[in-house]
Amino acid sequence: MKLEAQAPPDRADLSEIEGTVDRIVFKNEENGYTVCSLAVTDGSEATLVGIMPFLAEGEGIKALGKWALHASFGRQFKVEYYEKQLPNGEAAMIKYLASGAVKGIGPVLAKRIVDRFGADAFDVLEHHPEWLADIEGITLKKAALLSERFKETFGIRSVMMFCREFFGPATAVKVYRRWGGGAVDVIRENPYALCEQINGVSFETADKIAEKLGTDKSSPYRVRAGVIYFLSYNAAQNGHTFVPADKLSPAVARFLSVEKEDVDNAVAALLAEGKLVSARFRKREAIYLKKYYEAEQYTAAKLDQLDRLCDGIPLHDADRFIRQLEAEFDITYASLQRKAISDSIRYGVMVLTGGPGTGKTTVIRAVITVFQRMGLHIALAAPTGRAAKRMSEATSHEAKTVHRLLETDFSNDNEPKFRRNENDTLEEDVIIVDEMSMVDTLLFASLLKAIKPGARLILIGDSDQLPPVGAGYVLNDILESDRFHSVRLKEIFRQAESSRIVRNAHAINNGEYPDLSIKDGDFFFLVREDERTIPTTVSDLIVSRLPKKYGEDIRRGIQVITPSHKGVAGTECLNALLQTALNPPAPNKREKKVRDVVFREGDKVMQTKNNYDIPWEREGKEGVGIFNGDIGRILSVNPKEETVTVDFEGRITVYDYSQLDEIEHAYAITIHKSQGSEYPVVILPIYSYSPRLLTRNLLYTAVTRAKDMAVLVGVPAIFGAMIANNRQEKRYTGLSYLLRSYLPEEE
């Protein structure tokens, strides 16, 4: 959540270049990315690339950056920071004005203005626009308009200069686009407007700016922003959609080091403005950020509507369909499976849950077949790419990520928007969503907006797994409300009974300690009472022991998942160790060091945030979007172009060095990051860490990520403690209460 303020780059590491912009080769009007030709003051020519907003031909600039050699375009100067300077000399002034930098002034008018006022032309444009009316073709009204446009053109300079100590030019562009030339005055009056209205500026950054400007710690601006930040932080980090009113003010007061009364006043003001919403559940007041309340309220109303409007079929018809399937496929469905199939085709909203091996996939296949015979169009979706791929393989029908199904688009601030919504709904008559335990409140509300009234919605997931990373507890809240038909499959079917992964997962979920004495099969526990030996055991398993027993090919399917980033067997320790063991440095392997981490050709890496507009190519086809949790391998590091090429399961993606903060090593990943994925072989370290993480559902989630083999390495006592620790993560959410309000009164 934290975003540090960015000072101007250290000049010791950068080169300086100064000159006049000769030609604009390329300009992205949205983010300010520019390629230009510079006439350098020493008489040479240079190509500059980087974030240089509102740059125009004829302008003088001084820039800091690094020289790089591009494979296609040759030597370029990559700009990291720059300052605009007024064009110097009448010829440069004419060229600047003639370039179209000031709308309304073309080549002819530019020459007339400079011929008339000479070196004072810019001063006249800025301070004495009425003098321009002496020139043929310029009225007093047009003179005022030209002056206004001229000042707008140079307004970015003051904003860039003011902001350079705190963040980079790309953010300064956003600031200028939001408030124009008055941006500096806005920030001086209320620096917290930055974190409230500019995407990418954190409360911490705004707080640092406020401190530098001398803003009082108890300023209403600061306290209001602190309340918004606190609610946002809790949603992002702890999964809450609201905070109880009696907890909010004391917590924010401690966080900001202000009086509780100051927070009470800020909350009251934000409620009056509609930025916060108050609701009451079981006589307890809940304070929401507006977007989360609206999402939960919409979700409850739309689910109720879908269930009521669905044109269901009679029970006898559903039974007839099921008997036909049993006869045709020579299968006998269990009683709960029959109920799940029947409820799915009879009702508008149906929820199917169950652990591994309980036959959820069998139900999905049957339901798809029935709907197809009914002439209904079906869409299959899952929250992650890996989950969608698994769903496709299991059902032999295409499944998409929820984001792809909704046709994700982005605003200028890189905020996700969906082309599919209540104004352009999905055509499909049935929407089936798998891995629902991972779907958060905002994404689910967006999905519901795109589902047309009368369509069926089937939600499938394992309610005993970890809750979503984002805010909300959607699957559990829907089940808890008891508002819709739901089936929980419990029986482990014969084909899954032989799997000790499946049997032990169910034992763990039931709070039972599995029998670890069995030394064959697909589930193993390697005891290491000394935790310090766990990392070397994990490494030895991957490097030699498993390949020696099962063949070298097994190594490609191994994924280490661990409870935390920290600790003796956390991702930080294991990734460093496994990189050395599996991909050591070599003369033929290029590498790039970032944040004390070395990315090397051949490294296994993972994308750590959703990036919806990063381009990729697969077998000649182009696309965009690499998502949080996607795992790939580094194909090449190009120091000349300052790029790293990564293969994400066939999607070839090129990262600029500046984007490498979006990836991290993935030899070992956290259990939370593994949600929705399945790996042939899972290695799970069991070591002492925070009791908050060492829980039954975390262990259950980890074990169920293994498809063919699970190898646990560690301390049996901690394994037992995790099974015994059935601590459920408490989340403040209102969806179940809102759904219950739609129950008929007689119930």
Side-chain angles (χ1 to χ4, degrees), residues 634-698:
I634 295 178
L635 296 179
S636 65
V637 175
N638 191 325
K640 291 183 179 179
E641 294 188 25
E642 297 190 345
T643 59
V644 172
T645 302
V646 182
D647 179 359
F648 289 99
E649 296 184 339
R651 293 170 296 162
I652 309 301
T653 307
V654 179
Y655 288 81
D656 187 89
Y657 277 0
S658 64
Q659 296 174 300
L660 294 182
D661 60 345
E662 295 186 10
I663 63 172
E664 61 185 27
H665 287 125
Y667 297 102
I669 64 175
T670 63
I671 296 170
H672 281 87
K673 286 288 189 183
S674 74
Q675 279 182 272
S677 298
E678 189 177 66
Y679 311 98
V681 180
V682 164
I683 298 178
L684 173 64
I686 303 292
Y687 64 101
S688 57
Y689 198 65
S690 166
R692 188 178 68 84
L693 283 176
L694 301 182
T695 61
R696 183 187 301 173
N697 69 341
L698 190 86

Side-chain angles (χ1 to χ4, degrees), residues 8-199:
D10 186 352
R11 290 174 181 264
D13 298 328
L14 304 174
S15 302
E16 182 176 287
I17 193 169
E18 186 174 354
T20 302
V21 178
D22 184 55
R23 185 168 67 93
I24 301 293
V25 179
F26 171 81
K27 181 188 293 185
N28 184 322
E29 298 292 350
E30 301 300 334
N31 61 20
Y33 183 82
T34 303
V35 179
C36 71
S37 174
L38 189 76
V40 187
T41 51
D42 65 7
S44 63
E45 289 282 331
T47 299
L48 273 59
V49 297
I51 303 294
M52 295 176 283
F54 306 105
L55 204 62
E57 294 176 359
E59 280 188 315
I61 66 169
K62 181 185 292 184
L64 296 176
K66 294 181 179 179
W67 289 101
L69 187 62
H70 192 282
S72 302
F73 303 110
R75 194 166 185 251
Q76 297 179 332
F77 190 82
K78 291 198 167 188
V79 176
E80 295 194 19
Y81 173 74
Y82 86 106
E83 294 178 5
K84 293 173 70 172
Q85 299 170 323
L86 288 170
N88 188 19
E90 293 185 11
M93 293 169 76
I94 291 174
K95 183 172 184 178
Y96 170 76
L97 291 174
S99 70
V102 180
K103 189 176 179 181
I105 300 179
V108 174
L109 205 53
K111 189 172 188 310
R112 287 177 182 172
I113 292 171
V114 177
D115 285 348
R116 175 70 176 80
F117 299 108
D120 296 326
F122 286 172
D123 182 66
V124 170
L125 275 164
E126 185 172 5
H127 299 110
H128 307 286
E130 67 276 8
W131 295 359
L132 295 171
D134 293 341
I135 297 174
E136 181 184 351
I138 301 180
T139 63
L140 281 172
K141 183 177 180 180
K142 184 174 182 178
L145 181 61
L146 293 177
S147 177
E148 183 180 335
R149 288 172 176 169
F150 177 81
K151 285 185 280 191
E152 285 178 355
T153 302
F154 275 91
I156 183 65
R157 186 173 185 271
S158 63
V159 176
M160 299 278 287
M161 294 292 288
F162 180 81
C163 293
R164 65 180 178 175
E165 184 177 347
F166 307 108
F167 36 70
T171 302
V173 172
K174 295 180 183 179
V175 171
Y176 181 75
R177 288 193 181 280
R178 179 68 182 84
W179 295 307
V184 174
D185 293 333
V186 171
I187 296 170
R188 287 189 183 279
E189 179 185 355
N190 175 20
Y192 297 95
L194 287 165
C195 62
E196 292 174 342
Q197 301 186 46
I198 306 298
N199 185 55

Side-chain angles (χ1 to χ4, degrees), residues 567-593:
V568 68
T571 59
E572 291 180 2
C573 171
L574 288 174
N575 274 318
L577 178 67
L578 294 174
Q579 182 193 35
T580 301
L582 297 169
N583 190 34
N588 63 332
K589 292 181 183 177
R590 290 171 294 187
E591 56 187 44
K592 169 63 179 174
K593 187 175 182 181

